[in-house]
Amino acid sequence: MTDPATLTLAAIQRHIAERYEQVDRARGTPKTFLWLIEEIGELATALHGTDRANLEEEFADVIAWLCTLANINDVDLASAIAKKYLGEKRPEGHK
Amino acid sequence: MTDPATLTLAAIQRHIAERYEQVDRARGTPKTFLWLIEEIGELATALHGTDRANLEEEFADVIAWLCTLANINDVDLASAIAKKYLGEKRPEGHK
């Protein structure tokens, strides 16, 4: 398994693209958004529960679907995060 | 600005923790989840539009709030992703 400590967001997004992008692009943004929301719902359920493994899995699924949505909309998530949260104009007191 | 290509998910989550975790923990999971959903809504709006900079920013905000939610629930996102998507038992044909 990849060492999580060295795992870049770019590598995660690329991995999701390599495995799923062709199908994801064919599905398109609206249907992909529905999948993301389904996973968000499952995350809500997991946050209510006590199953830690399931909670971790649901967080992973939300990130995976967010990567998918970014891929089919040609958005580089790491660049977006760096620009908004790690640049000079980053939000100070709030997000 | 940090080089997006080398930006680890762990560093992003840590950065959000360092800047916001105290306030985030005081707010708690249910209210933080509301913020996440608000950002998801803004992402939906941006996906309808043509403003690329705004679209990137909304993706960044969703990731930031997902990091927040993970932080206050003691979930390591990079480990969760590595376990689910980069391990030996990763999903083959679908997420």
Side-chain angles (χ1 to χ4, degrees), chain B residues 47-78:
Chain B
L47 285 166
H48 278 298
T50 56
D51 183 340
R52 295 291 303 175
N54 179 244
L55 180 61
E56 286 179 16
E57 192 173 337
E58 297 307 338
F59 269 109
D61 287 344
V62 169
I63 290 177
W65 280 101
L66 207 59
C67 285
T68 288
L69 200 58
N71 283 334
I72 68 177
N73 284 279
D74 306 306
V75 167
D76 182 321
L77 291 173

Side-chain angles (χ1 to χ4, degrees), chain A residues 26-47:
Chain A
R27 185 192 315 106
T29 291
K31 284 187 182 170
T32 298
F33 197 84
L34 287 186
W35 277 103
L36 172 65
I37 297 305
E38 181 168 325
E39 293 300 338
I40 289 277
E42 291 179 8
L43 176 59
T45 303
L47 285 166

Side-chain angles (χ1 to χ4, degrees), chain A residues 21-82:
Chain A
E21 189 170 356
Q22 206 174 349
V23 171
D24 290 337
R25 284 204 182 263
R27 185 192 315 106
T29 291
K31 284 187 182 170
T32 298
F33 197 84
L34 287 186
W35 277 103
L36 172 65
I37 297 305
E38 181 168 325
E39 293 300 338
I40 289 277
E42 291 179 8
L43 176 59
T45 303
L47 285 166
H48 278 300
T50 56
D51 183 340
R52 296 290 305 174
N54 179 244
L55 180 61
E56 286 180 16
E57 191 172 339
E58 296 307 338
F59 269 109
D61 286 344
V62 169
I63 290 178
W65 280 100
L66 207 59
C67 285
T68 289
L69 201 57
N71 283 334
I72 68 177
N73 284 279
D74 305 306
V75 168
D76 182 322
L77 290 173
S79 296
I81 279 277

Side-chain angles (χ1 to χ4, degrees), chain A residues 19 61 68 84-85 91 95, chain B residues 19 61 68 84-85 91 95:
Chain A
R19 294 178 64 81
D61 286 344
T68 289
K84 173 87 188 259
Y85 287 96
K95 298 183 193 75
Chain B
R19 295 178 62 82
D61 287 344
T68 288
K84 174 86 189 258
Y85 288 96
K95 299 183 195 74

Side-chain angles (χ1 to χ4, degrees), chain B residues 5-64:
Chain B
T6 62
L7 188 57
T8 64
L9 181 54
I12 297 169
Q13 186 171 354
R14 207 161 44 234
H15 177 79
I16 297 291
E18 282 164 6
R19 295 178 62 82
Y20 307 109
E21 190 170 355
Q22 206 174 350
V23 171
D24 289 337
R25 282 203 183 263
R27 185 192 313 107
T29 291
K31 284 186 183 170
T32 298
F33 196 84
L34 287 186
W35 278 103
L36 172 65
I37 297 305
E38 182 168 325
E39 293 300 337
I40 289 276
E42 291 179 9
L43 176 61
T45 303
L47 285 166
H48 278 298
T50 56
D51 183 340
R52 295 291 303 175
N54 179 244
L55 180 61
E56 286 179 16
E57 192 173 337
E58 297 307 338
F59 269 109
D61 287 344
V62 169
I63 290 177

